[in-house]
Amino acid sequence: MRGALLVCKKEFMELSKDRKTMFFTFLMPFILYPLIFGMMGKLSQKDVASRKGKPSRILLVDSTQVIAPVLKADAKSFELVAAPQGDVKQAIRDQKLEMMLEVDPEASAKLTQHKTFSLNATYDQSDDSSGLALKRLKEALEKQNTSWVQARLGVMGASPELAVPSRIQTTDASTPGLAVSKVLGAFLPYMIMLMMFAGSMQHGIYTTAGEKERGTLLSLLSTSLPRNQIIWGKLIYVFSIGLISVLINLASMGIAMGRMVPSVASTGGSAAQGLGALSSIANPLTLVLTFLLMIPLGLLFANFIVLMGTQAKNTVEAGTAIMPGFMVVIVAAVFSMAPGIEKMAFLPYVPILNVSLAVRKLFSHQANYLEYTIAFLMTVGLAGLLTWLSTRLLNRESALFKV
Amino acid sequence: MIQLTDVYKTFTVKDKRSRAKKQIEAVKGLSLTVKPGEIYGLLGPNGAGKSTTLRMIAGLMQADQGQIQVCGIDTKAEPEKARAMVGYLSTDLNVYGRFTPRELLRLFGEFQGVDAKVAERRGMHLLEKLQLLDFADVKMEGFSSGQKQKVSIARALLHDPKVVIFDEPTTGLDVLTAKTVLDLLRIMRSEGRSVIVSTHVMPMVDEICDRVGIIFDGELHGDAAPKQILETWNAKTLDEVFFQLAARSAAEV
């Protein structure tokens, strides 16, 4: 194993000489994610605040003045505006107003006759502000309808409670942060898989096909180091880089989210509070079990990259050979985010996807330890198989001298 | 001591046009011995099988048939042990450009089981001999091919190998540096090492080789002192021997 560690040391030494790669691998995530999440948080806050703080602009066509008082009474939510020039629908799409509300011209008469009148609302479903206007209108009308019904019941001498036969009271069964945890559980395997593969891919190519291309691999092979130790050294390096990439990216994202969570929740708070919220979501056992799963997964990816890299003539060929694997990882990663996949009975037996499933369940507080063990053992087995294969194939002269 | 006994090596290549697989016999029944304190020149045109033979001796390739021994160690049975005895240099090899010669030599010393400090000391000594000590702490990215070749030579000799295999050792070197390398080979001979070199540079063969073997089409034609080879082939130069071999081979086809 000493030889493998020496080869790994050589790879890290080479990496340390490349300042640009070092910067993009180890420092960039700490700049990038806080920047992205900070911007996202600010924009989202600004958008929510501007939508919530502003009344919805409504063009009201109400000749009988039945609805106008209702809307005017809630000036925080509604602002009645004059008809715009040109097409009203276009004006809504252009966000000059949120909605046009046309009230039945016989609304007043129908109301007096205890009949139903209709309202015609024109809004833009694709626009959140317009959707908010409709939501506000529905809430206002619901209250007003109840009040009208209760008034009618009063005239008839009946109890006003007839208008409200039942009332729902809700109790939240989730633990604090479970909703966020479920989102994280769906999102995290995707991030882990992509970062682990993408983070180690270029390094893997550089250290395998790149060494062949640069003519340095032969000098390494001419030493007394056993071939399997050379390949293991490269594997350890590629795996370590993948793992480091994931950890750095996740740590950076965690810090960035920690800053974002309290501010988005409008509770106001520091990064420490945000991290506190995150740590309550992901308990140490969840984190340890997730990390344990990342090890064989990283080894599996590293093995695939090294295997393809050693068999390729040059870096271009290696990149082309590894790309389909990357596509599979992307598809698997995207699939792992799909809602309801945890109900698929076969999924615990599908390699890679079973890792996503296990992580997802861990974060959803629905850990299934049998499924976790299957995923772990299956990934370890596959990683072992690929290690054996890459060691065997590196000994093939056709692979070594294919330059 | 290097000993090759009836060695065969075949490669399988694919014909691009017919897509059929073809067997190419790169080395056919090669037997030779290089004694300690001897410089053996392996000569032959491109594609004759020189590099394949040297790679097999260096333990980078395995013979299909026959036996190769380096200091009495079978390269097939104990490849790592055999490689530890060998210092191998080839024009195919390159240096790690991101390292300085000092870093590279320390690292390769460790790969060969030599203590890093000892490796560094030996490496600096070799760089001094090769007149490259001033560049010991400069990144090799910008080195000329000659400077890289010098570092490769130092790398190959770092672990004090009993057997030295140099495939085209003076390629890319200027006359002065080439002379330094040849002097180094002489020193290694005087130290009792077995040295085998392949080259196209005939004056170099006359100058340093104790014995030569001419390899042509995978077979060894003649294995004697340069003068004896010339006498046997009734030729004035070794180049002439090549031409005669080529003519004979063409006639056989």
Side-chain angles (χ1 to χ4, degrees):
Chain A
M1 201 60 192
R2 183 183 165 272
L5 293 175
L6 278 173
V7 172
C8 185
K9 176 184 156 186
K10 185 219 89 172
E11 304 299 347
F12 271 108
M13 271 178 75
E14 265 204 280
L15 175 67
S16 71
K17 304 280 172 189
D18 186 351
R19 284 183 187 172
K20 272 187 195 166
T21 308
M22 287 281 284
F23 172 78
F24 285 111
T25 308
F26 301 119
L27 288 178
M28 193 64 177
F30 284 105
I31 300 169
L32 197 67
Y33 291 113
L35 208 68
I36 292 173
F37 281 88
M39 274 170 62
M40 274 169 60
K42 284 262 187 269
L43 284 173
S44 139
Q45 270 178 289
K46 207 174 163 184
D47 186 44
V48 170
S50 68
R51 273 193 276 122
K52 277 192 175 172
K54 275 187 184 173
S56 301
R57 293 162 297 176
I58 312 264
L59 165 62
L60 184 65
V61 183
D62 184 9
S63 54
T64 56
Q65 291 293 303
V66 171
I67 294 297
V70 177
L71 300 188
K72 279 177 185 167
D74 188 359
K76 274 188 182 174
S77 301
F78 303 104
E79 178 193 349
L80 299 182
V81 294
Q85 285 191 342
D87 184 21
V88 176
K89 281 184 183 174
Q90 187 59 47
I92 294 171
R93 284 195 292 269
D94 292 343
Q95 298 177 350
K96 288 176 182 164
L97 69 157
E98 275 73 47
M99 183 188 284
M100 177 170 74
L101 188 63
E102 294 165 289
V103 184
D104 190 338
E106 293 169 18
S108 184
K110 283 181 178 173
L111 196 64
T112 318
Q113 293 160 18
H114 296 181
K115 284 182 180 172
T116 305
F117 67 91
S118 61
L119 299 161
N120 188 19
T122 307
Y123 79 112
D124 179 358
Q125 200 182 3
S126 66
D127 179 46
D128 288 342
S129 302
S130 205
L132 180 67
L134 184 68
K135 192 180 161 222
R136 283 170 168 171
L137 178 70
K138 280 180 177 173
E139 282 170 3
L141 271 181
E142 200 181 318
K143 276 186 196 167
Q144 187 57 45
N145 277 339
T146 309
S147 146
W148 279 329
V149 171
Q150 283 175 337
R152 284 174 185 177
L153 289 169
V155 169
M156 291 162 72
S159 164
E161 284 192 3
L162 273 172
V164 191
S166 69
R167 250 191 208 104
I168 190 161
Q169 279 183 333
T170 57
T171 308
D172 189 2
S174 74
T175 53
L178 184 61
V180 183
S181 187
K182 277 187 176 172
V183 173
L184 263 183
F187 178 65
L188 214 58
Y190 172 83
M191 295 306 293
I192 289 173
M193 280 198 259
L194 281 191
M195 285 169 187
M196 195 165 262
F197 201 99
S200 56
M201 189 167 84
Q202 291 306 326
H203 296 274
I205 292 173
Y206 181 87
T207 191
T208 52
E211 280 231 40
K212 246 192 231 185
E213 200 171 64
R214 294 187 300 277
T216 49
L217 186 64
L218 274 186
S219 61
L220 195 60
L221 293 167
S222 71
T223 65
S224 54
L225 290 175
R227 296 259 163 93
N228 55 359
Q229 299 221 4
I230 293 175
I231 200 84
W232 292 346
K234 288 182 182 292
L235 260 177
I236 295 170
Y237 168 71
V238 177
F239 162 72
S240 308
I241 285 287
L243 200 63
I244 291 168
S245 291
V246 171
L247 292 177
I248 284 178
N249 280 282
L250 289 183
S252 170
M253 280 170 70
I255 293 168
M257 282 172 75
R259 292 178 70 88
M260 197 178 139
V261 167
S263 52
V264 167
S266 300
T267 54
S270 64
Q273 280 175 296
L275 284 174
L278 284 180
S279 65
S280 71
I281 290 163
N283 65 57
L285 183 67
T286 304
L287 292 178
V288 168
L289 289 175
T290 305
F291 182 75
L292 274 179
L293 264 181
M294 278 161 64
I295 293 172
L297 186 73
L299 272 174
L300 183 68
F301 288 167
N303 266 296
F304 175 75
I305 292 166
V306 170
L307 181 64
M308 290 298 159
T310 49
Q311 295 307 302
K313 284 182 202 161
N314 50 48
T315 49
V316 175
E317 195 180 296
T320 315
I322 290 169
M323 199 43 82
F326 189 44
M327 295 309 290
V328 169
V329 170
I330 289 178
V331 170
V334 171
F335 180 75
S336 73
M337 285 174 73
I341 60 159
E342 60 270 20
K343 294 182 188 86
M344 296 179 178
F346 65 91
L347 217 56
Y349 306 100
V350 181
I352 302 174
L353 285 179
N354 54 13
V355 174
S356 313
L357 184 71
V359 174
R360 198 168 162 154
K361 287 196 171 177
L362 282 173
F363 275 84
S364 308
H365 301 185
Q366 297 170 323
N368 182 325
Y369 291 104
L370 178 66
E371 287 180 8
Y372 178 92
T373 312
I374 291 170
F376 185 82
L377 291 179
M378 197 178 259
T379 318
V380 167
L382 276 173
L385 189 71
L386 276 182
T387 308
W388 172 79
L389 198 63
S390 30
T391 313
R392 260 185 81 89
L393 288 176
L394 187 70
N395 276 314
R396 278 175 53 193
E397 286 162 6
S398 57
L400 292 176
F401 298 99
K402 199 161 55 173
V403 181
Chain B
M1 172 91 132
I2 303 167
Q3 197 159 21
L4 277 79
T5 314
D6 206 20
V7 171
Y8 284 85
K9 182 71 186 175
T10 305
F11 293 116
T12 306
V13 291
K14 204 172 182 181
D15 189 296
K16 293 263 176 185
R17 197 173 277 183
S18 66
R19 303 189 71 79
K21 283 185 177 176
K22 271 201 300 194
Q23 300 280 317
I24 292 178
E25 284 187 297
V27 177
K28 303 171 196 169
L30 192 89
S31 297
L32 62 86
T33 304
V34 184
K35 293 172 201 151
E38 185 179 47
I39 299 178
Y40 189 98
L42 197 59
L43 316 178
N46 292 334
K50 298 188 302 292
S51 293
T52 304
T53 304
L54 295 184
R55 281 175 176 177
M56 286 193 290
I57 300 170
L60 288 167
M61 283 181 172
Q62 295 293 339
D64 296 333
Q65 275 182 56
Q67 194 183 42
I68 301 171
Q69 286 193 326
V70 172
C71 302
I73 300 162
D74 191 318
T75 57
K76 206 169 194 171
E78 297 176 283
E80 286 90 31
K81 218 172 161 186
R83 282 204 298 270
M85 298 288 168
V86 174
Y88 176 73
L89 172 82
S90 159
T91 44
D92 294 341
L93 302 188
N94 203 351
V95 293
Y96 291 90
R98 287 180 185 173
F99 291 139
T100 66
R102 190 189 297 275
E103 289 165 342
L104 182 96
L105 295 173
R106 270 181 74 110
L107 203 60
F108 269 77
E110 286 186 89
F111 290 163
Q112 297 284 23
V114 182
D115 178 72
K117 281 183 182 170
V118 177
E120 191 181 339
R121 201 174 55 241
R122 274 192 208 160
M124 292 308 105
H125 179 64
L126 284 162
L127 288 184
E128 193 178 7
K129 274 188 184 172
L130 292 158
Q131 294 146 18
L132 201 69
L133 195 58
D134 291 345
F135 294 87
D137 296 306
V138 178
K139 263 191 183 182
M140 290 184 280
E141 275 165 348
F143 276 19
S144 68
S145 54
Q147 286 172 317
K148 285 179 183 172
Q149 181 83 330
K150 284 178 182 179
V151 177
S152 291
I153 291 171
R155 196 250 326 134
L157 302 176
L158 194 67
H159 57 295
D160 202 16
K162 297 257 186 313
V163 165
V164 176
I165 303 166
F166 277 8
D167 192 358
E168 305 286 353
T170 53
T171 302
L173 300 182
D174 60 65
V175 186
L176 284 173
T177 317
K179 188 185 171 303
T180 313
V181 172
L182 297 187
D183 288 343
L184 204 63
L185 288 173
R186 283 193 193 94
I187 293 169
M188 285 188 270
R189 174 171 55 192
S190 67
E191 288 170 348
R193 298 174 210 269
S194 307
V195 181
I196 183 165
V197 293
S198 84
T199 185
H200 289 108
V201 188
M202 295 309 164
M204 176 185 144
V205 177
D206 284 333
E207 207 178 321
I208 62 157
C209 292
D210 300 305
R211 276 190 312 131
V212 294
I214 296 174
I215 191 164
F216 199 90
D217 205 14
E219 288 176 286
L220 194 66
H221 297 270
D223 177 6
K227 274 186 186 174
Q228 273 179 286
I229 295 270
L230 295 178
E231 281 170 19
T232 311
W233 287 81
N234 197 19
K236 285 178 183 166
T237 62
L238 286 165
D239 288 336
E240 266 186 51
V241 180
F242 277 176
F243 296 139
Q244 286 184 37
L245 273 168
R248 191 202 278 180
S249 173
E252 279 173 8
V253 172

